């Protein structure tokens, strides 16, 4: 029989396979050439009257553009994409030829946004995209490819604001504790292309956006700051945020000028009748594929949520309690007072974490109905956050796995867990982009015995966690066998977590 580790890898790779740019585009996009040519996207048809143009920005856009050009062929007039610095070389090195454009491509590639920050190169690309959009007519069709990381690759401040002025303002807001949503509202208000700006500039051309979501809940106006989606915010919201952080009176002249002449109401939704925004890939899609794969391997599989968020330590506690409850189910102790206490703790923790759309009561009932004999797989996705305290090397997925390992070890040591030897358990957490923090790992695996073995080898797990040094821990422990290393994937729909448990 396959090990749990092999099963977990198989789930993770099947989920990745379904959100890779080329298969995803080929499933969704077709060009019908007979008669009047039409672009078919999922179940919608768009007439190709004259010219078809393409623009794109984001971490996964290079692979999306390569697949799109193959599908569109000679119908594509011209394209411009803005992608992260060094990505062509990285994909070349990784042997991922299918994600690169062909030698005589009609699509111009501009690389910028070093370290995911807007810079002069990203601005050059954004200006080229803006000029292309402004020159379109009612007979043209603009295909827009969008993925995570697109926001930093599309900086085009409204003149006379300079890029460095906008950046300085964003940094000041961040240093005063502004939330990411607040930063995005200010950025959008001062931008030519974000918050629906690109769609407005392309009018009267038909605009079709194909989106790979890396944001919880897939909100169109948040992914890459919503360049083709109606913004629900106005200049008033921006002014309120600047007032809240006491910045209203220290703004550069250029920013004051733009704010005072901005329209007070957001653009009305009916002004977006020429736009179709279509989500092609998301965490939910990846989890559905992983669930199919798990069922094929004989597991009773349940998806907890595609929106797991919160600080890694708290999320790890949620997983540890879920695993303990599953364990009790395997030893038929799940009905007793211990099971009730765990259920109560779980419900309280889930409420505190505010995981959107999670009905834990219903989920626990579904778990109870599974019966003790079948192996169980719980799947989830989302994006946790790490509070940096140390100077170590790691990423949120490796840190989450190590926290879960430690939690399970402590539960075992205090006897809060069922008798040993009845079932085997594995937890996996990995980033779908293949990069977890500044490391070459995508994430890590852990099992209940992992921490006990590490302690025997003289490794102090808690010290590694305090120093945010999960990568060093996993590298040193058993020669890195517990690291998940996929290499660059060319896609990104946040993270995937899996709990596998079966009777021994």
């Amino acid at each position: 029989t396959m090990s749990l580790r092999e099963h977990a890898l198989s789930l993770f790779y099947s989920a990745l396979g379904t959100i890779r740019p080329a298969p995803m585009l080929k499933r969704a996009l077709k060009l019908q050439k007979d008669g009047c040519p039409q672009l078919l996207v999922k179940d919608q048809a768009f007439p190709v009257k004259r010219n078809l143009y393409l623009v794109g920005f984001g971490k996964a856009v290079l692979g999306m553009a390569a697949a799109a050009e193959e599908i569109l062929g000679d119908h594509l007039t011209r394209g411009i994409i803005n992608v992260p610095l060094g990505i062509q070389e990285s994909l070349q090195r990784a042997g991922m030829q299918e994600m690169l454009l062909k030698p005589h491509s009609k699509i111009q590639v501009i690389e910028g946004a070093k370290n995911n920050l807007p810079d002069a190169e990203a601005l050059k690309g954004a200006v080229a995209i803006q000029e292309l959009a402004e020159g379109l007519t009612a007979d043209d069709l603009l295909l827009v490819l969008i993925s995570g990381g697109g926001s930093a690759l599309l900086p085009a401040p409204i003149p006379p604001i300079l890029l460095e002025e906008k950046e300085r303002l964003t940094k000041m807001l961040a240093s005063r504790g502004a939330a990411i949503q607040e930063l995005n509202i200010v950025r959008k208000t001062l931008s030519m292309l974000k918050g629906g700006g690109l769609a407005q500039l392309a009018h009267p051309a038909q605009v079709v956006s194909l989106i790979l979501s890396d944001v919880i809940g897939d909100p169109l106006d948040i992914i890459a700051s919503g360049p083709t989606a109606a913004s629900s915010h106005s200049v008033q919201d921006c002014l309120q945020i600047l007032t809240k952080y006491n910045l209203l009176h220290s703004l550069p002249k250029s920013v004051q000028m733009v704010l005072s002449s901005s329209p007070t109401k957001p653009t009305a939704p009916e002004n977006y009748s020429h736009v179709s925004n279509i989500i092609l890939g998301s965490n939910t899609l990846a989890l559905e594929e992983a669930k199919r794969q798990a069922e094929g391997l004989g597991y009773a599989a349940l998806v907890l949520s595609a929106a797991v968020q919160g600080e890694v330590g708290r999320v790890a506690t949620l997983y540890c309690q879920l695993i303990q409850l599953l364990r009790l189910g395997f030893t038929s102790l799940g009905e007793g007072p211990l099971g009730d206490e765990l259920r109560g703790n779980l419900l309280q923790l889930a409420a505190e974490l505010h995981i959107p759309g999670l009905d834990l009561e219903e989920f626990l009932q579904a778990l109870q109905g599974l019966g003790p004999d079948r192996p169980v797989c719980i799947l989830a996705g989302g994006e946790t956050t790490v509070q940096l305290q140390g100077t170590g090397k790691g990423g949120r997925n490796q840190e989450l796995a190590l926290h879960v390992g430690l939690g399970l070890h402590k539960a075992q040591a205090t006897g809060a867990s069922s008798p040993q030897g009845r079932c085997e358990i594995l937890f996996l957490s990995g980033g779908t982009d293949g990069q977890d923090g500044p490391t070459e790992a995508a994430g890590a695996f852990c099992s209940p015995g992992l921490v006990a073995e590490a302690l025997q080898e003289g490794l102090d797990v808690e010290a590694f966690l305090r120093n945010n040094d999960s990568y060093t821990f996993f590298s040193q422990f058993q020669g890195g066998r517990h690291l998940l290393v996929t290499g660059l994937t060319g896609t990104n729909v946040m993270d995937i977590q899996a709990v596998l448990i079966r009777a021994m």
Side-chain angles (χ1 to χ4, degrees):
T1 57
M2 284 167 78
S3 68
L4 289 190
R5 181 198 164 89
E6 288 167 321
H7 282 172
L9 275 173
S10 151
L11 301 183
F12 193 77
Y13 278 110
S14 68
L16 276 185
T18 200
I19 48 155
R20 282 193 193 273
M24 204 173 54
L25 259 126
K26 285 173 184 163
R27 275 197 308 269
L29 192 64
K30 306 245 180 314
L31 187 69
Q32 198 179 326
K33 293 177 186 169
D34 43 324
C36 303
Q38 284 189 325
L39 193 63
L40 306 176
V41 188
K42 287 195 168 174
D43 49 2
Q44 299 181 49
F46 302 95
V48 178
K49 294 180 201 155
R50 205 176 67 195
N51 294 329
L52 216 166
Y53 293 90
L54 179 150
V55 297
F57 27 88
K59 293 179 181 177
V61 157
L62 192 60
M64 290 167 82
E69 186 163 30
E70 209 173 298
I71 295 162
L72 303 174
D74 292 340
H75 282 271
L76 180 64
T77 308
R78 180 174 162 235
I80 302 169
I81 58 171
N82 239 8
V83 294
L85 190 69
I87 192 163
Q88 293 178 99
E89 195 193 332
S90 300
L91 290 170
Q92 189 97 45
R93 265 208 315 269
M96 294 167 82
Q97 251 50 43
E98 75 282 4
M99 296 221 186
L100 296 168
L101 295 168
K102 300 280 182 288
H104 301 293
S105 169
K106 288 180 185 166
I107 299 171
Q108 178 191 358
V109 181
I110 297 170
E111 292 192 357
K114 189 180 177 183
N115 300 328
N116 204 23
L117 295 168
D119 55 18
E121 286 307 304
L123 179 60
K124 190 174 102 179
V127 169
I129 287 171
Q130 182 183 329
E131 286 170 355
L132 186 149
E134 285 172 333
L136 300 177
T137 71
D139 287 338
D140 297 325
L141 193 152
L142 180 66
L143 193 60
V144 184
L145 308 176
I146 301 176
S147 78
S151 193
L153 287 159
L154 206 64
I158 299 172
I161 302 172
L162 300 173
L163 183 61
E164 40 276 22
E165 290 176 320
K166 189 175 158 193
E167 282 314 288
R168 204 174 311 128
L169 180 59
T170 311
K171 281 198 181 110
M172 278 163 73
L173 276 166
S175 71
R176 294 183 185 198
I180 184 72
Q181 289 82 352
E182 294 176 315
L183 292 175
N184 281 341
I185 291 169
V186 174
R187 276 190 199 130
K188 280 198 284 194
T189 311
L190 303 177
S191 171
M192 289 290 293
L193 300 173
K194 291 169 182 166
L198 177 62
Q200 291 305 315
L201 290 174
H203 186 267
Q206 173 73 53
V207 177
V208 180
S209 282
L210 305 182
I211 301 164
L212 183 60
S213 168
D214 70 333
V215 182
I216 282 175
D218 311 331
L220 291 172
D221 62 331
I222 304 285
I223 303 162
S225 300
T228 57
S231 173
S232 47
H233 302 106
S234 68
V235 71
Q236 291 330 110
D237 299 310
C238 178
L239 292 168
Q240 256 172 346
I241 293 162
L242 294 170
T243 307
K244 175 180 170 184
Y245 294 103
N246 208 5
L247 285 168
L248 203 52
H249 301 296
S250 52
L251 296 174
K253 285 273 184 292
S254 57
V255 175
Q256 289 176 4
M257 217 165 105
V258 166
L259 289 175
S260 64
S261 60
S262 293
T264 48
K265 286 193 172 64
T267 311
E270 55 269 24
N271 292 4
Y272 288 84
S273 57
H274 64 299
V275 183
S276 294
N277 287 306
I278 297 158
I279 298 232
L280 281 196
S282 63
N283 194 276
T284 304
L285 195 77
L287 291 176
E288 281 166 7
E289 180 55 39
K291 180 174 188 273
R292 257 201 303 279
Q293 186 75 4
E295 287 167 347
L297 291 167
Y299 286 85
L302 291 173
V303 173
L304 176 69
S305 165
V308 172
Q309 57 186 16
E311 197 274 319
V312 280
R314 315 273 300 139
V315 173
T317 305
L318 181 81
Y319 280 121
C320 286
Q321 291 178 346
L322 260 178
I323 290 167
Q324 280 166 253
L325 204 56
L326 278 168
R327 261 184 161 160
L328 290 176
F330 273 85
T331 52
S332 67
L333 294 169
E335 304 307 312
L338 191 54
D340 293 340
E341 187 190 338
L342 273 171
R343 266 189 288 275
N345 290 347
L346 262 170
L347 290 167
Q348 190 184 338
L349 187 57
E352 286 168 21
L353 283 168
H354 299 300
I355 295 170
L358 170 61
D359 184 343
L360 195 61
E361 286 272 14
E362 196 182 299
F363 182 81
L364 292 176
Q365 270 176 326
L367 264 188
Q368 260 182 315
L370 291 179
D373 306 323
R374 271 185 85 183
V376 175
C377 169
I378 294 177
L379 293 157
E383 198 156 278
T384 55
T385 46
V386 173
Q387 303 255 289
L388 285 177
Q389 293 159 320
T391 54
K393 196 174 179 189
R396 57 180 183 260
N397 290 288
Q398 294 161 78
E399 189 151 322
L400 178 60
L402 194 49
H403 266 294
V404 170
L406 183 63
L408 294 174
H409 172 72
K410 285 183 170 171
Q412 228 158 6
T414 56
S417 185
S418 61
Q420 261 308 86
R422 296 299 187 92
C423 55
E424 52 175 334
I425 296 162
L426 185 82
F427 175 79
L428 161 76
S429 186
T432 53
D433 60 356
Q435 289 173 301
D436 189 33
T439 74
E440 90 262 5
F445 305 88
C446 80
S447 58
L450 176 116
V451 171
E453 288 170 45
L455 293 172
Q456 280 171 349
E457 286 185 27
L459 294 171
D460 181 348
V461 175
E462 298 203 32
F464 280 104
L465 279 171
R466 274 197 304 276
N467 195 28
N468 298 113
D469 207 11
S470 52
Y471 175 74
T472 307
F473 168 83
F474 282 116
S475 304
Q476 288 179 7
F477 180 60
Q478 295 185 352
R481 212 177 75 79
H482 294 271
L483 283 171
L484 170 67
V485 182
T486 61
L488 262 188
T489 63
T491 187
N492 179 19
V493 295
M494 302 184 289
D495 304 334
I496 290 175
Q497 283 115 32
V499 175
L500 303 183
I501 180 166
R502 66 179 176 192
M504 285 167 85

PDB file of all heavy atoms in Angstrom, residues 362-385:
ATOM      1  N   GLU A 362     -21.962  21.955  10.907  1.00  0.00           N
ATOM      2  CA  GLU A 362     -22.345  21.086   9.805  1.00  0.00           C
ATOM      3  C   GLU A 362     -21.175  20.170   9.412  1.00  0.00           C
ATOM      4  O   GLU A 362     -21.348  18.981   9.152  1.00  0.00           O
ATOM      5  CB  GLU A 362     -22.731  21.984   8.610  1.00  0.00           C
ATOM      6  CG  GLU A 362     -23.516  21.276   7.524  1.00  0.00           C
ATOM      7  CD  GLU A 362     -23.815  22.230   6.365  1.00  0.00           C
ATOM      8  OE1 GLU A 362     -24.493  23.260   6.598  1.00  0.00           O
ATOM      9  OE2 GLU A 362     -23.346  21.958   5.259  1.00  0.00           O
ATOM     10  N   PHE A 363     -19.981  20.746   9.411  1.00  0.00           N
ATOM     11  CA  PHE A 363     -18.786  19.976   9.040  1.00  0.00           C
ATOM     12  C   PHE A 363     -18.548  18.836  10.037  1.00  0.00           C
ATOM     13  O   PHE A 363     -18.261  17.704   9.651  1.00  0.00           O
ATOM     14  CB  PHE A 363     -17.560  20.913   8.992  1.00  0.00           C
ATOM     15  CG  PHE A 363     -16.293  20.209   8.567  1.00  0.00           C
ATOM     16  CD1 PHE A 363     -16.040  19.971   7.224  1.00  0.00           C
ATOM     17  CD2 PHE A 363     -15.366  19.779   9.501  1.00  0.00           C
ATOM     18  CE1 PHE A 363     -14.878  19.315   6.821  1.00  0.00           C
ATOM     19  CE2 PHE A 363     -14.211  19.120   9.113  1.00  0.00           C
ATOM     20  CZ  PHE A 363     -13.963  18.886   7.765  1.00  0.00           C
ATOM     21  N   LEU A 364     -18.701  19.143  11.333  1.00  0.00           N
ATOM     22  CA  LEU A 364     -18.464  18.116  12.361  1.00  0.00           C
ATOM     23  C   LEU A 364     -19.517  17.005  12.278  1.00  0.00           C
ATOM     24  O   LEU A 364     -19.222  15.841  12.511  1.00  0.00           O
ATOM     25  CB  LEU A 364     -18.457  18.752  13.760  1.00  0.00           C
ATOM     26  CG  LEU A 364     -17.260  19.696  14.046  1.00  0.00           C
ATOM     27  CD1 LEU A 364     -17.401  20.342  15.411  1.00  0.00           C
ATOM     28  CD2 LEU A 364     -15.931  18.967  13.939  1.00  0.00           C
ATOM     29  N   GLN A 365     -20.743  17.389  11.905  1.00  0.00           N
ATOM     30  CA  GLN A 365     -21.795  16.364  11.734  1.00  0.00           C
ATOM     31  C   GLN A 365     -21.436  15.432  10.578  1.00  0.00           C
ATOM     32  O   GLN A 365     -21.577  14.218  10.676  1.00  0.00           O
ATOM     33  CB  GLN A 365     -23.143  17.036  11.474  1.00  0.00           C
ATOM     34  CG  GLN A 365     -23.889  17.309  12.775  1.00  0.00           C
ATOM     35  CD  GLN A 365     -25.192  18.063  12.515  1.00  0.00           C
ATOM     36  OE1 GLN A 365     -25.284  18.879  11.609  1.00  0.00           O
ATOM     37  NE2 GLN A 365     -26.205  17.776  13.317  1.00  0.00           N
ATOM     38  N   ALA A 366     -20.941  16.024   9.499  1.00  0.00           N
ATOM     39  CA  ALA A 366     -20.534  15.220   8.338  1.00  0.00           C
ATOM     40  C   ALA A 366     -19.401  14.272   8.727  1.00  0.00           C
ATOM     41  O   ALA A 366     -19.368  13.109   8.321  1.00  0.00           O
ATOM     42  CB  ALA A 366     -20.102  16.136   7.200  1.00  0.00           C
ATOM     43  N   LEU A 367     -18.474  14.780   9.565  1.00  0.00           N
ATOM     44  CA  LEU A 367     -17.349  13.944  10.031  1.00  0.00           C
ATOM     45  C   LEU A 367     -17.867  12.763  10.838  1.00  0.00           C
ATOM     46  O   LEU A 367     -17.394  11.632  10.680  1.00  0.00           O
ATOM     47  CB  LEU A 367     -16.431  14.760  10.941  1.00  0.00           C
ATOM     48  CG  LEU A 367     -15.196  15.418  10.333  1.00  0.00           C
ATOM     49  CD1 LEU A 367     -14.340  16.005  11.440  1.00  0.00           C
ATOM     50  CD2 LEU A 367     -14.372  14.448   9.511  1.00  0.00           C
ATOM     51  N   GLN A 368     -18.833  13.045  11.722  1.00  0.00           N
ATOM     52  CA  GLN A 368     -19.364  11.996  12.600  1.00  0.00           C
ATOM     53  C   GLN A 368     -20.037  10.885  11.797  1.00  0.00           C
ATOM     54  O   GLN A 368     -20.006   9.735  12.179  1.00  0.00           O
ATOM     55  CB  GLN A 368     -20.370  12.592  13.587  1.00  0.00           C
ATOM     56  CG  GLN A 368     -19.732  12.809  14.948  1.00  0.00           C
ATOM     57  CD  GLN A 368     -20.762  13.344  15.927  1.00  0.00           C
ATOM     58  OE1 GLN A 368     -21.527  14.248  15.601  1.00  0.00           O
ATOM     59  NE2 GLN A 368     -20.812  12.785  17.118  1.00  0.00           N
ATOM     60  N   GLY A 369     -20.614  11.288  10.655  1.00  0.00           N
ATOM     61  CA  GLY A 369     -21.331  10.304   9.855  1.00  0.00           C
ATOM     62  C   GLY A 369     -20.427   9.378   9.050  1.00  0.00           C
ATOM     63  O   GLY A 369     -20.911   8.520   8.325  1.00  0.00           O
ATOM     64  N   LEU A 370     -19.090   9.563   9.161  1.00  0.00           N
ATOM     65  CA  LEU A 370     -18.208   8.810   8.271  1.00  0.00           C
ATOM     66  C   LEU A 370     -17.947   7.360   8.710  1.00  0.00           C
ATOM     67  O   LEU A 370     -17.555   6.528   7.908  1.00  0.00           O
ATOM     68  CB  LEU A 370     -16.853   9.528   8.126  1.00  0.00           C
ATOM     69  CG  LEU A 370     -16.900  10.846   7.357  1.00  0.00           C
ATOM     70  CD1 LEU A 370     -15.525  11.482   7.304  1.00  0.00           C
ATOM     71  CD2 LEU A 370     -17.437  10.666   5.946  1.00  0.00           C
ATOM     72  N   GLY A 371     -18.125   7.075  10.000  1.00  0.00           N
ATOM     73  CA  GLY A 371     -17.830   5.707  10.451  1.00  0.00           C
ATOM     74  C   GLY A 371     -16.337   5.522  10.656  1.00  0.00           C
ATOM     75  O   GLY A 371     -15.524   6.142   9.983  1.00  0.00           O
ATOM     76  N   PRO A 372     -15.944   4.641  11.580  1.00  0.00           N
ATOM     77  CA  PRO A 372     -14.555   4.567  12.016  1.00  0.00           C
ATOM     78  C   PRO A 372     -13.614   3.787  11.080  1.00  0.00           C
ATOM     79  O   PRO A 372     -12.414   3.841  11.255  1.00  0.00           O
ATOM     80  CB  PRO A 372     -14.651   3.867  13.371  1.00  0.00           C
ATOM     81  CG  PRO A 372     -15.908   3.055  13.295  1.00  0.00           C
ATOM     82  CD  PRO A 372     -16.825   3.742  12.346  1.00  0.00           C
ATOM     83  N   ASP A 373     -14.138   3.084  10.079  1.00  0.00           N
ATOM     84  CA  ASP A 373     -13.261   2.177   9.337  1.00  0.00           C
ATOM     85  C   ASP A 373     -12.601   2.813   8.120  1.00  0.00           C
ATOM     86  O   ASP A 373     -11.549   2.375   7.685  1.00  0.00           O
ATOM     87  CB  ASP A 373     -14.061   0.935   8.880  1.00  0.00           C
ATOM     88  CG  ASP A 373     -14.758   0.277  10.059  1.00  0.00           C
ATOM     89  OD1 ASP A 373     -14.132   0.261  11.148  1.00  0.00           O
ATOM     90  OD2 ASP A 373     -15.910  -0.165   9.920  1.00  0.00           O
ATOM     91  N   ARG A 374     -13.232   3.824   7.561  1.00  0.00           N
ATOM     92  CA  ARG A 374     -12.665   4.392   6.330  1.00  0.00           C
ATOM     93  C   ARG A 374     -11.565   5.396   6.623  1.00  0.00           C
ATOM     94  O   ARG A 374     -11.664   6.173   7.562  1.00  0.00           O
ATOM     95  CB  ARG A 374     -13.770   5.129   5.564  1.00  0.00           C
ATOM     96  CG  ARG A 374     -14.521   4.228   4.606  1.00  0.00           C
ATOM     97  CD  ARG A 374     -15.489   5.026   3.801  1.00  0.00           C
ATOM     98  NE  ARG A 374     -14.864   5.616   2.617  1.00  0.00           N
ATOM     99  CZ  ARG A 374     -15.524   6.413   1.789  1.00  0.00           C
ATOM    100  NH1 ARG A 374     -16.776   6.727   2.022  1.00  0.00           N
ATOM    101  NH2 ARG A 374     -14.919   6.904   0.723  1.00  0.00           N
ATOM    102  N   PRO A 375     -10.500   5.402   5.794  1.00  0.00           N
ATOM    103  CA  PRO A 375      -9.523   6.488   5.955  1.00  0.00           C
ATOM    104  C   PRO A 375     -10.187   7.827   5.620  1.00  0.00           C
ATOM    105  O   PRO A 375     -11.079   7.880   4.754  1.00  0.00           O
ATOM    106  CB  PRO A 375      -8.435   6.143   4.935  1.00  0.00           C
ATOM    107  CG  PRO A 375      -8.990   5.119   4.036  1.00  0.00           C
ATOM    108  CD  PRO A 375     -10.152   4.480   4.713  1.00  0.00           C
ATOM    109  N   VAL A 376      -9.779   8.876   6.328  1.00  0.00           N
ATOM    110  CA  VAL A 376     -10.417  10.192   6.162  1.00  0.00           C
ATOM    111  C   VAL A 376      -9.388  11.199   5.651  1.00  0.00           C
ATOM    112  O   VAL A 376      -8.235  11.192   6.080  1.00  0.00           O
ATOM    113  CB  VAL A 376     -11.002  10.679   7.509  1.00  0.00           C
ATOM    114  CG1 VAL A 376     -11.567  12.098   7.382  1.00  0.00           C
ATOM    115  CG2 VAL A 376     -12.099   9.734   7.985  1.00  0.00           C
ATOM    116  N   CYS A 377      -9.842  12.077   4.752  1.00  0.00           N
ATOM    117  CA  CYS A 377      -8.992  13.164   4.266  1.00  0.00           C
ATOM    118  C   CYS A 377      -9.760  14.476   4.422  1.00  0.00           C
ATOM    119  O   CYS A 377     -10.863  14.605   3.906  1.00  0.00           O
ATOM    120  CB  CYS A 377      -8.635  12.925   2.798  1.00  0.00           C
ATOM    121  SG  CYS A 377      -7.856  14.354   2.025  1.00  0.00           S
ATOM    122  N   ILE A 378      -9.153  15.414   5.164  1.00  0.00           N
ATOM    123  CA  ILE A 378      -9.751  16.751   5.288  1.00  0.00           C
ATOM    124  C   ILE A 378      -8.891  17.714   4.484  1.00  0.00           C
ATOM    125  O   ILE A 378      -7.670  17.759   4.660  1.00  0.00           O
ATOM    126  CB  ILE A 378      -9.808  17.214   6.757  1.00  0.00           C
ATOM    127  CG1 ILE A 378     -10.769  16.317   7.545  1.00  0.00           C
ATOM    128  CG2 ILE A 378     -10.268  18.665   6.853  1.00  0.00           C
ATOM    129  CD1 ILE A 378     -10.834  16.649   9.016  1.00  0.00           C
ATOM    130  N   LEU A 379      -9.519  18.467   3.604  1.00  0.00           N
ATOM    131  CA  LEU A 379      -8.793  19.410   2.747  1.00  0.00           C
ATOM    132  C   LEU A 379      -9.216  20.840   3.054  1.00  0.00           C
ATOM    133  O   LEU A 379     -10.375  21.088   3.407  1.00  0.00           O
ATOM    134  CB  LEU A 379      -9.097  19.113   1.279  1.00  0.00           C
ATOM    135  CG  LEU A 379      -8.562  17.781   0.759  1.00  0.00           C
ATOM    136  CD1 LEU A 379      -9.355  17.333  -0.449  1.00  0.00           C
ATOM    137  CD2 LEU A 379      -7.083  17.900   0.424  1.00  0.00           C
ATOM    138  N   ALA A 380      -8.283  21.761   2.922  1.00  0.00           N
ATOM    139  CA  ALA A 380      -8.616  23.172   3.118  1.00  0.00           C
ATOM    140  C   ALA A 380      -7.627  24.025   2.349  1.00  0.00           C
ATOM    141  O   ALA A 380      -6.574  23.547   1.919  1.00  0.00           O
ATOM    142  CB  ALA A 380      -8.572  23.529   4.602  1.00  0.00           C
ATOM    143  N   GLY A 381      -7.986  25.292   2.170  1.00  0.00           N
ATOM    144  CA  GLY A 381      -7.079  26.218   1.492  1.00  0.00           C
ATOM    145  C   GLY A 381      -7.256  27.606   2.055  1.00  0.00           C
ATOM    146  O   GLY A 381      -8.133  27.850   2.884  1.00  0.00           O
ATOM    147  N   GLY A 382      -6.431  28.543   1.588  1.00  0.00           N
ATOM    148  CA  GLY A 382      -6.505  29.921   2.076  1.00  0.00           C
ATOM    149  C   GLY A 382      -5.109  30.469   2.245  1.00  0.00           C
ATOM    150  O   GLY A 382      -4.188  30.077   1.527  1.00  0.00           O
ATOM    151  N   GLU A 383      -4.952  31.371   3.199  1.00  0.00           N
ATOM    152  CA  GLU A 383      -3.639  31.980   3.407  1.00  0.00           C
ATOM    153  C   GLU A 383      -3.528  32.445   4.849  1.00  0.00           C
ATOM    154  O   GLU A 383      -4.279  33.312   5.289  1.00  0.00           O
ATOM    155  CB  GLU A 383      -3.471  33.159   2.450  1.00  0.00           C
ATOM    156  CG  GLU A 383      -2.046  33.580   2.261  1.00  0.00           C
ATOM    157  CD  GLU A 383      -1.830  34.309   0.940  1.00  0.00           C
ATOM    158  OE1 GLU A 383      -1.676  33.635  -0.093  1.00  0.00           O
ATOM    159  OE2 GLU A 383      -1.823  35.541   0.937  1.00  0.00           O
ATOM    160  N   THR A 384      -2.593  31.825   5.577  1.00  0.00           N
ATOM    161  CA  THR A 384      -2.386  32.211   6.978  1.00  0.00           C
ATOM    162  C   THR A 384      -1.385  33.373   7.048  1.00  0.00           C
ATOM    163  O   THR A 384      -0.761  33.708   6.047  1.00  0.00           O
ATOM    164  CB  THR A 384      -1.811  31.027   7.783  1.00  0.00           C
ATOM    165  OG1 THR A 384      -0.618  30.588   7.136  1.00  0.00           O
ATOM    166  CG2 THR A 384      -2.801  29.885   7.856  1.00  0.00           C
ATOM    167  N   THR A 385      -1.256  33.947   8.235  1.00  0.00           N
ATOM    168  CA  THR A 385      -0.270  35.022   8.414  1.00  0.00           C
ATOM    169  C   THR A 385       0.707  34.635   9.520  1.00  0.00           C
ATOM    170  O   THR A 385       0.346  33.912  10.444  1.00  0.00           O
ATOM    171  CB  THR A 385      -0.953  36.345   8.797  1.00  0.00           C
ATOM    172  OG1 THR A 385      -1.909  36.066   9.836  1.00  0.00           O
ATOM    173  CG2 THR A 385      -1.684  36.948   7.634  1.00  0.00           C
TER     174      THR A 385
END
